[in-house]
Every structure is written in C-alpha cells, then in structure tokens.
Amino acid sequence: MAKHYDMWESLGMDVEKHDDFLEPLPEVYEEVYLSQDNRPAGMDYFDFVVDDIHGIRVKELVEEKEAGNPVISSFCVFVPDELVTAAGGASIGLCAGAQFPIEAAEQELPNNDLCPLIKSSLGFKMDKICPYFEVSDFVVGETTCDGKKKAWEILDEEIPTYVMELPQTKSDAARELWKSEINRFKEHIEETSGREIKAKKAAEAIELINKKRDVLQRLYDTRKADPVPISGKDALLITQLAFFDDPERFIEKTSTLCDELENRIEAGEGIADEDAPRILVAGTPMPLPSWKIHNLIESNGGVVVCEETCTGTRYFENKVPEGGETLEEQIDNLTERAMNINCACFTPNDDRVDDILRLAEEYDVDGVIYYNLQFCQTYSMEYKKISQALKEEDIPVTQIESDFSDSDTGQLNTRIEAFLEMIQG
Amino acid sequence: MAKHYDMWESLGMDVEKHDDFLEPLPEVYEEVYLSQDNRPAGMDYFDFVVDDIHGIRVKELVEEKEAGNPVISSFCVFVPDELVTAAGGASIGLCAGAQFPIEAAEQELPNNDLCPLIKSSLGFKMDKICPYFEVSDFVVGETTCDGKKKAWEILDEEIPTYVMELPQTKSDAARELWKSEINRFKEHIEETSGREIKAKKAAEAIELINKKRDVLQRLYDTRKADPVPISGKDALLITQLAFFDDPERFIEKTSTLCDELENRIEAGEGIADEDAPRILVAGTPMPLPSWKIHNLIESNGGVVVCEETCTGTRYFENKVPEGGETLEEQIDNLTERAMNINCACFTPNDDRVDDILRLAEEYDVDGVIYYNLQFCQTYSMEYKKISQALKEEDIPVTQIESDFSDSDTGQLNTRIEAFLEMIQG
C-alpha cells in the first residue's frame, strides 16, 4: 500500500497506529479479491483505489480545502450530498466497517450494547487513523437510530458534528420537518463555507449525483443476468467506494466496467458456477472493508446478486426528481428522494417488505440472507414481517447477526454452507 | 388477591395463565412492602389498590366503556392524557415491569437485544394476562426509541395501535411536528369515540392532570426532608399507580398521605436510619411491579429520595401551562410541556445533565445510582456525560444495567452494598 506519511502527519493522524491498521489489508485483499478467477478487467481501477485508499483521494480533498472548497463527511444515504457539491465542495461517506478502531471506542462508550458500525466510526476518529475525518470541515450525523443519535453527542467533542433530524414516519408533517432540515443544512453549508448555493449549481449537482445513481443501477442491472457477470464481492466494493470517490471519475470508471459486463452477458460469460445459488443480501450496511459475509457466501459456492442495504439499493435506487428551477423546488425534490427510501428507521415500513419481494424477483434470487449488524434493533425487529412475507412466497431466508470481527467466521461459515446446501436441495 | 374471574373471562383473558402470573405477587409484596417498619398509615390505600390491581379499577373501566366513554392505553409520559380526559374517557399507562410475560414475547420477537420493558409490554398482550390491554379501545405508541417504534408494528397485529411521532430534537420544526401530532391524536380520539373535544373540557382536563402532577410534586417535596418521612419503595409505588388510577381519587388519597408525611417532617420522624445514604435513582422507568433496585438499595441501609425517571420526576415535573382558551392554544400548551421534558430520546439533551445536578442538590443526595434497562441505548450512552458532570461535583455515581428478572439479584446486591459502603466511607 502506498504511504503518504507527510500528508498524514500534516493532518494530525497517528501515523504509527495507522500503519498497524493498514498492515493486514493487502493480504486480506489478495485473499478476498485478487485471487478471484475471471475478474472483469474494469476492476483494476477499483483495486487501485483500495491500494491507495488513504492516498490520492485524500490528497484531492486536501487540495479542495486549500482552494477554499468545503469538505464535508457524512454517514448515511439520507444526507443530501447534492448541496455540498452545489457549494463547490466534496462530500464523503464516512461509515466505517473495520474492527480495528472498535477497541478505542469501547473505552469511551459506557456500554457494550452498541452496533459495531457506530463504534467503528467513532473509533476511527478517536484513533486518528482516518484521513477523511481529519480533512473534513465538519461531519454530518442524522437521527436514523438511537445509537447514532447519541454517538453524535460524543463525536462532537472530537470534531464539529452537525446533526440533521430525519423524521420517523412519512407523514406530511414529517416530510415538512425533513424539508426544513435540508434547508437548515443548506444554510449551514453556506455559513461555514462562505459560499452561496445557487439554483443553477444545485440543478447541476442533482444531475451529477443522479448520474452516479444511474451508473450503479446499470451495474446492478448486469447482476440480473444469468450467469451473473460479476461477483457480489466486486459489486459491493464498487458501492462502498462510491461513497468516497470523486463522482465524475467514479461514473466514468464504473461505466467502462459496465460496458465490459454487458459484453460478458452478451457472450453468456459468468463469474460463478452455473448452478450457484443466487443470493439477495438484505439488511444493514457493509461499509469498507466489511467483506466477510459476501466472502463466506461466495467461498461456499453461492453468488450475491443484489444487496438491499445502504451499501446497495438503498444508496442509489431513489433518484432526486430533476427539473426544479428554484432552490425551493430543488429542496422539495431532495426531500422527495429521502421520503422514498424504505429504511427501518421509519414506521410503518411495509414498503420495505415489498422492496425485498420485488428485488427477489428482479434479480431472480434463490434465497435471502438477512444481514443484521449486532444490536441494530430496527432492522432485527423487521425480520419478523420480512421473513413471513418471503416464506409465503417460498423464498428461503435466514438471518445472520454479526459484527466486523473474525471471531464468528467459523460459525457463520457453517451456517451459510448449510443454508446454501438447503437451497440447492 | 381478589379474583374477578367472570370479568376477566368476559374480557377474553387467559384466566389460568393470569392466575399463574399473579400467584407469587402477595408474597413478594409482603416481603418488599408490608414488612417495612413505621410505614405511613396513608399507604393503606395503595396497598389496597395493589391487592386488587386487576379488579376494581378494571371494573370502573369496563363501566366507562359501557357508558360509551373512550378507554385508551399508552406507554409513555409524552402522550397527552388530557385529551382523553377531555373526551370524557379514561387514559391508562400500560408500561409493564414484569418478567413473567417476557417468555411469550421472545417467541414472537426475532432477537434477544431488546429492552425488557418492551418485551414485557408485548408479552402482556400476547399472554392475555393484562386486563388493561383487553379493556382498551386502542393503545397509543410513540417513537421514543428504536425498540418501541418497531414494537408497535408487531403489537398492531394484536390490538389497534396508534403511533404518535415524537420528534428527536427540540427545534422549532420539531415542535411543529409534535404539535401536529397532538392535533392528529385529538382527531383520532374524536373519530374513534364519536365525541367532540371542546375547549372547556380540555381546560378542565389540563387542570385536573396538572393537579395530579402537583400532588406528586408535593409527595416528592416531602422526600427532600432529613430524615425522609417515606421510603423510596413506597414513593415509587405511588408513582407507578398514578399511571393507572382514577386521577381524582389518586389526588385525594395522595394528598391525605402528604398531610401525614408533612406532620412527620414537623415531628422530625423518619423512615430510615439517620445516617442512611440518600440516593437519587436516575435513568430508565421502573413500571409496576419493578421494585428490585429500590428494594436492594433500602435493604442495604440506603434510602431512595428521588427518581429522575419516567416513573419519577419526568412524569410530573413539567406541567401544562393553563389558561389556554381555544383548543389551538391548549394544544400549544400541551406541546410546550412535552418539549420541556428531558428524555434521552432528544438530541442534544444537555438539560438532562442539569436536571440531575439540580435534583441531587434539591434532594440533598449522597450518591446517584444510574439505572439502565438492558439494551436501552439512549440512556446508556448518556451515562458518559452525566457521570462526568457528577464526578466534577464530587457526587458518587454508579451505573446498574438490569432487567425485571431475579437472575442478577445476588450480583446487584453485592454491587449496591459496596456502593453504599463507599459513600459512607
């Protein structure tokens, strides 16, 4: 992995700890990713991004800052990146999927009942091993769950943390609340950056970020083919990197990959065995470098063809309506997108059941693995209704609760192997 | 305990299971309550209510229903009881603090990471052993935490469950959301009961429920005295029963008790040893019959002088401003009260730190026991800031995480004993 000690030190990072954190990554990446057979050539770009994960992109952000552009980090698909882009800045998704920094966070957090994603996120800042944190003007939290809501209060002691109140229903009044929160966010960006957000720029930003969603949809569409032209692991990696990368470059590189995948489909060329069970992973996000579940599924002869997660369809399926000419119309449109996302933070959330049934059909899946980060109550409680609905459609489903550590890998391997065998009959 | 089999059967309860549930209660009550020395005579009424906990009050509610009055149950201090009272109905607090029904709930709920209060609440309905559930037209849930928010979706399959969206901040926009939710609740009561809620009745209801808050404040004021004239257990019981009882009778009986307690104070008569450490319990609710923590504290020579909980100060300290003449003004005033409650569901919630420091001073406490229901993330995560603030004021504090079972009683006894010894030096 490329080393950028001067930059990391100038960002105030703990360079030694950062080395410890990155040290095992190349070996893991080799084992999980590079050793795959018949990988699409277009994955080269994404391999390069991972190899330099804390390098070139961070350098770009440092340069953005030097040019006076805002650099703002967030943790959730609900935060409207478009407004940051419209202010001429960069928006980075910070969600963290590594076990390493959890130890630091656990020393600061009073309980052990907290989801690993939140602990990992906080730990990255506490350990000073995430350059994206260090380069950010501020981070944006949201009230999507109890744990995150309270985590922002603790994170705010380490870095300015701006909180957006996402409502918990989709009523008209709730919608008004979110609209006013988006407006407040716009004003906060303007105040902190000294930049006025104009309708023309906002329209361009909405188009750009929609294009990113389009290319991800195009990528996912290729996964509907049988045989599937790309592994689930590779597709997951691309979505994970979508949160970090420069949108224009990401769109270009993913388009090139899609060209290749569409050629594969035409040639009937697949990545997995013909009879490999096609799996939909539904549930909680898998931020970089959380590859465990996909790796276990695909090492056991299955293939993941879709993720109904925040690092999957929830990230890109809902676009912002275009054509708004005034900022007010555009903010209305940004509100509209959020209100169409079926996150477990909303009640009721029956449309998520419909989403999963629809995706199971669209991607022609043989089974669903419901992935639940430990202690994520909203998603684990939705399993009851979702598993009932899937069983009514005779679609096999199993629930896996896990974290980012390797401690349960053996046990999960046994369970996933058994589930795939059961599907194959 | 009095048996009312005919009524229970007519309500569709599982009478056999209900007998099993109630069977140990008299012995527990004797041990925890009746065996106390020097109890105020005015506790007789509350002993009587417990002895007939599923009898007379339920009969009253059945009669209310027969008279066409709405009977509505809720689980949280934020639900505006006043509107139910204004519609000529009865409002019952349903929060359940028993271990017995949790087994039933766990069979229905997909995870074991859920707070015992939620599991107990759902289990009471699933087991059909709570007559208050069975007599209710509908229950009112709210979005105060992830677990409850999702529990309502499951409970709604058993009994009509109306959900109010409580916001997560106290911004102007959040306040507007809650106001519109109160208005929607008013309309829902009107629609389901066929009763129109009028301003005059609403004004009377606001006055009545405020009087209930006043008498609880008067009760708590007596606990500021040294020596304290009533045990923490007894005071907790009164607050627990406040959720169930007819408000007018409750006010009358509690006033009579307060007369007696004020006489005790004048006479310098106390319930505990002179050097008994005075304890503030802060944190999550202790619904009926959850007496474990208070019993352990007071069996080990301490005395609980205040509860900063939903079954304590959060239930009564904030009154609804009176004098609103139109329904709109009254709904504004009902909104005002909620926005003054410092529940961990809000972010930021620094005013709760101030509340606890203020209560520690007002009640002249020697130490704080921070009580956290298992898996209640919002409260457990607030412990960090609260314990820091208490330590800065040299007020000893310890955190106890527990549930409604007896499985941890031995371990908690050791910890509480050690904490009280430490305080006494």
Side-chain angles (χ1 to χ4, degrees):
Chain A
M1 305 209 70
K3 304 284 189 184
H4 305 264
Y5 290 119
D6 285 354
M7 180 173 71
W8 294 337
E9 267 170 12
S10 74
L11 287 171
M13 290 172 63
D14 184 333
V15 175
E16 220 167 294
K17 196 173 264 183
H18 183 242
D19 271 353
D20 290 347
F21 165 59
L22 288 185
E23 193 260 321
L25 193 57
E27 196 183 318
V28 172
Y29 197 74
E30 168 69 35
E31 190 196 315
V32 176
Y33 279 98
L34 302 180
S35 64
Q36 293 177 91
D37 287 332
N38 195 23
R39 278 183 97 204
M43 287 307 297
D44 278 2
Y45 169 70
F46 301 100
D47 291 341
F48 163 75
V49 173
V50 172
D51 186 58
D52 199 32
I53 188 72
H54 287 176
I56 289 178
R57 182 65 183 135
V58 178
K59 193 161 171 285
E60 287 175 355
L61 296 172
V62 169
E63 284 163 5
E64 290 266 17
K65 276 191 88 159
E66 284 167 359
N69 299 329
V71 175
I72 298 171
S73 300
S74 59
F75 300 87
C76 183
V77 302
F78 285 104
V79 175
D81 293 343
E82 290 87 348
L83 293 175
V84 183
T85 307
S91 184
I92 302 293
L94 266 189
C95 273
Q99 178 68 18
F100 184 93
I102 286 182
E103 197 185 321
E106 283 181 340
Q107 284 166 16
E108 282 298 310
L109 296 170
N111 77 331
N112 291 318
D113 309 343
L114 195 62
C115 122
L117 192 152
I118 297 171
K119 289 193 284 194
S120 186
S121 298
L122 261 63
F124 267 106
K125 179 61 199 158
M126 289 163 177
D127 270 347
K128 296 186 177 132
I129 57 172
C130 174
Y132 297 103
F133 255 124
E134 305 307 326
V135 78
S136 299
D137 296 324
F138 62 90
V139 300
V140 187
E142 19 51 49
T143 60
T144 44
C145 71
D146 289 344
K148 279 164 111 185
K149 181 164 65 181
K150 290 289 136 182
W152 311 140
E153 298 173 10
I154 295 169
L155 185 61
D156 191 45
E157 293 171 6
E158 311 270 340
I159 183 169
T161 305
Y162 179 87
V163 179
M164 296 183 77
E165 179 173 8
L166 189 77
Q168 308 183 67
T169 73
K170 292 179 176 176
S171 70
D172 290 346
R175 190 194 166 90
E176 278 307 304
L177 174 65
W178 187 236
K179 190 176 159 183
S180 78
E181 284 294 275
I182 295 180
N183 206 48
R184 194 170 62 89
F185 180 50
K186 175 190 97 65
E187 287 165 7
H188 189 72
I189 297 169
E190 290 180 332
E191 275 165 32
T192 52
S193 70
R195 296 277 179 84
E196 193 191 342
I197 295 176
K198 294 192 175 153
K200 190 170 167 286
K201 290 284 178 193
E204 287 168 14
I206 287 171
E207 272 181 44
L208 176 66
I209 307 300
N210 272 348
K211 276 190 190 142
K212 181 159 95 167
R213 297 185 182 115
D214 284 337
V215 79
L216 282 165
Q217 184 65 62
R218 186 179 163 202
L219 171 70
Y220 272 56
D221 283 341
T222 69
R223 303 170 75 189
K224 296 174 180 170
D226 189 8
V228 61
I230 182 169
S231 70
K233 290 195 275 207
D234 278 333
L236 172 64
L237 180 69
I238 294 166
T239 322
Q240 289 172 337
L241 295 175
F243 284 82
F244 292 83
D245 205 358
D246 172 74
E248 302 205 26
R249 183 175 52 218
F250 177 84
I251 293 163
E252 183 202 324
K253 298 296 184 181
T254 310
S255 298
T256 306
L257 173 71
C258 287
D259 292 341
E260 183 185 357
L261 298 179
E262 287 160 5
N263 287 337
R264 282 192 168 197
I265 294 170
E266 212 156 298
E269 193 185 340
I271 191 78
D273 283 348
E274 249 180 52
D275 59 348
R278 298 169 63 89
I279 300 298
L280 167 66
V281 171
T284 51
M286 297 172 166
L288 202 68
S290 162
W291 304 312
K292 181 168 67 175
I293 304 299
H294 278 53
N295 193 38
L296 286 172
I297 295 169
E298 302 197 331
S299 302
N300 277 294
V303 61
V304 181
V305 293
C306 184
E307 295 83 18
E308 186 272 341
T309 66
C310 311
T311 43
T313 55
R314 270 198 295 281
Y315 183 55
F316 63 80
E317 270 202 332
N318 297 286
K319 288 167 67 180
V320 179
E322 295 179 16
E325 288 183 6
T326 64
L327 265 172
E328 208 195 320
E329 287 167 359
Q330 289 157 346
I331 287 175
D332 240 345
N333 292 338
L334 291 168
T335 308
E336 174 75 12
R337 171 182 168 264
M339 291 291 126
N340 287 329
I341 298 176
N342 299 318
C343 171
C345 66
F346 293 115
T347 188
N349 193 32
D350 294 335
D351 288 349
R352 188 172 165 235
V353 181
D354 298 338
D355 277 347
I356 290 175
L357 293 176
R358 171 180 57 79
L359 293 171
E361 194 179 332
E362 282 182 8
Y363 290 82
D364 190 21
V365 313
D366 299 307
V368 175
I369 290 188
Y370 195 89
Y371 171 66
N372 217 114
L373 280 166
Q374 276 175 357
F375 307 116
C376 177
Q377 295 178 346
T378 54
Y379 278 90
S380 72
M381 288 187 75
E382 288 198 350
Y383 182 67
K384 182 173 184 278
K385 280 195 178 182
I386 285 165
S387 58
Q388 273 171 354
L390 286 167
K391 280 168 194 165
E392 276 165 27
E393 300 290 324
D394 284 325
I395 301 169
V397 57
T398 192
Q399 185 180 27
I400 282 180
E401 201 161 283
S402 187
D403 59 15
F404 302 140
S405 77
D406 289 327
S407 62
D408 60 358
T409 306
Q411 180 223 331
L412 290 184
N413 190 57
T414 309
R415 286 195 51 205
I416 288 171
E417 189 183 12
F419 182 68
L420 296 175
E421 274 174 14
M422 185 271 288
I423 289 176
Q424 288 179 301
Chain B
M1 305 208 73
K3 304 284 188 184
H4 305 264
Y5 289 119
D6 285 355
M7 180 174 70
W8 294 337
E9 267 170 10
S10 73
L11 287 172
M13 289 171 63
D14 183 334
V15 174
E16 219 166 294
K17 196 172 265 183
H18 183 241
D19 271 353
D20 291 346
F21 166 57
L22 287 184
E23 194 260 319
L25 193 58
E27 195 183 318
V28 172
Y29 198 73
E30 168 70 35
E31 190 197 315
V32 176
Y33 278 99
L34 302 180
S35 64
Q36 293 176 91
D37 288 333
N38 195 22
R39 276 183 99 205
M43 288 307 297
D44 278 3
Y45 169 70
F46 301 99
D47 291 342
F48 164 76
V49 173
V50 172
D51 187 57
D52 199 33
I53 189 73
H54 288 175
I56 289 178
R57 183 65 184 134
V58 179
K59 192 160 171 286
E60 287 175 354
L61 297 172
V62 169
E63 285 163 5
E64 290 266 17
K65 276 191 88 158
E66 284 167 0
N69 298 327
V71 175
I72 298 172
S73 299
S74 59
F75 299 86
C76 182
V77 302
F78 285 104
V79 175
D81 293 343
E82 291 85 349
L83 294 174
V84 184
T85 308
S91 184
I92 303 292
L94 267 189
C95 272
Q99 179 66 19
F100 184 92
I102 286 181
E103 196 185 321
E106 283 181 342
Q107 283 165 16
E108 282 297 311
L109 295 170
N111 76 331
N112 291 318
D113 308 342
L114 196 61
C115 122
L117 192 151
I118 297 171
K119 289 193 284 194
S120 186
S121 300
L122 261 63
F124 267 107
K125 178 62 199 158
M126 290 164 176
D127 270 346
K128 296 185 176 134
I129 56 172
C130 174
Y132 297 102
F133 255 124
E134 306 307 326
V135 79
S136 300
D137 297 324
F138 63 91
V139 301
V140 187
E142 19 51 48
T143 59
T144 44
C145 71
D146 290 343
K148 280 164 110 184
K149 180 164 67 180
K150 290 289 137 181
W152 311 140
E153 297 173 10
I154 295 170
L155 186 61
D156 191 46
E157 294 172 5
E158 311 270 340
I159 183 169
T161 304
Y162 179 87
V163 179
M164 296 183 77
E165 180 174 6
L166 188 76
Q168 307 184 67
T169 72
K170 292 180 176 175
S171 70
D172 290 346
R175 190 194 165 91
E176 278 307 305
L177 173 65
W178 187 237
K179 191 176 159 184
S180 78
E181 284 295 277
I182 295 181
N183 206 48
R184 194 170 62 89
F185 181 50
K186 175 190 97 65
E187 287 165 7
H188 190 72
I189 298 169
E190 289 180 332
E191 274 166 32
T192 52
S193 70
R195 297 275 179 85
E196 193 191 341
I197 295 176
K198 294 192 175 152
K200 190 170 166 286
K201 290 285 180 195
E204 287 168 13
I206 287 171
E207 272 182 44
L208 176 66
I209 307 300
N210 272 347
K211 275 189 191 141
K212 182 159 95 167
R213 296 186 182 113
D214 283 337
V215 78
L216 283 166
Q217 184 65 63
R218 187 178 162 203
L219 170 69
Y220 272 55
D221 282 342
T222 70
R223 303 170 75 190
K224 296 174 181 171
D226 189 7
V228 61
I230 183 169
S231 70
K233 287 194 278 209
D234 279 333
L236 172 65
L237 181 69
I238 295 166
T239 322
Q240 289 173 336
L241 295 175
F243 284 83
F244 290 85
D245 206 357
D246 172 75
E248 302 204 26
R249 182 174 52 219
F250 177 84
I251 292 164
E252 183 202 323
K253 298 296 184 181
T254 310
S255 297
T256 307
L257 173 72
C258 286
D259 292 341
E260 182 186 357
L261 298 179
E262 286 160 5
N263 286 339
R264 280 191 170 198
I265 293 171
E266 214 156 297
E269 194 185 339
I271 191 78
D273 286 346
E274 249 179 55
D275 59 347
R278 298 169 63 89
I279 301 297
L280 167 66
V281 171
T284 51
M286 297 173 166
L288 202 70
S290 162
W291 304 313
K292 181 167 68 174
I293 304 300
H294 278 53
N295 193 38
L296 286 172
I297 294 169
E298 301 197 332
S299 304
N300 277 295
V303 60
V304 181
V305 293
C306 183
E307 295 83 19
E308 185 272 340
T309 66
C310 312
T311 45
T313 55
R314 270 197 296 280
Y315 183 55
F316 63 81
E317 270 200 334
N318 297 287
K319 289 167 66 179
V320 179
E322 295 181 15
E325 288 184 4
T326 64
L327 264 173
E328 208 196 321
E329 286 168 358
Q330 289 157 346
I331 287 176
D332 240 345
N333 291 337
L334 290 168
T335 309
E336 174 75 12
R337 170 181 169 266
M339 290 292 126
N340 287 330
I341 298 175
N342 299 319
C343 170
C345 67
F346 293 115
T347 189
N349 193 31
D350 293 335
D351 288 349
R352 187 170 167 237
V353 181
D354 297 338
D355 278 347
I356 290 175
L357 293 177
R358 171 180 59 77
L359 293 170
E361 193 179 332
E362 283 182 8
Y363 291 82
D364 190 20
V365 314
D366 299 307
V368 175
I369 290 188
Y370 195 90
Y371 172 65
N372 217 113
L373 281 165
Q374 277 174 358
F375 307 115
C376 177
Q377 295 178 346
T378 54
Y379 279 90
S380 72
M381 287 186 76
E382 287 199 349
Y383 182 67
K384 182 173 184 275
K385 279 195 179 183
I386 285 165
S387 58
Q388 273 171 355
L390 287 166
K391 280 168 193 164
E392 276 166 26
E393 300 290 325
D394 283 326
I395 301 169
V397 57
T398 191
Q399 185 181 27
I400 281 179
E401 200 160 283
S402 187
D403 58 16
F404 303 140
S405 78
D406 289 327
S407 63
D408 59 357
T409 307
Q411 181 223 333
L412 290 184
N413 190 58
T414 309
R415 286 194 50 204
I416 287 172
E417 189 183 12
F419 182 67
L420 296 175
E421 272 174 15
M422 186 271 288
I423 288 176
Q424 289 180 300

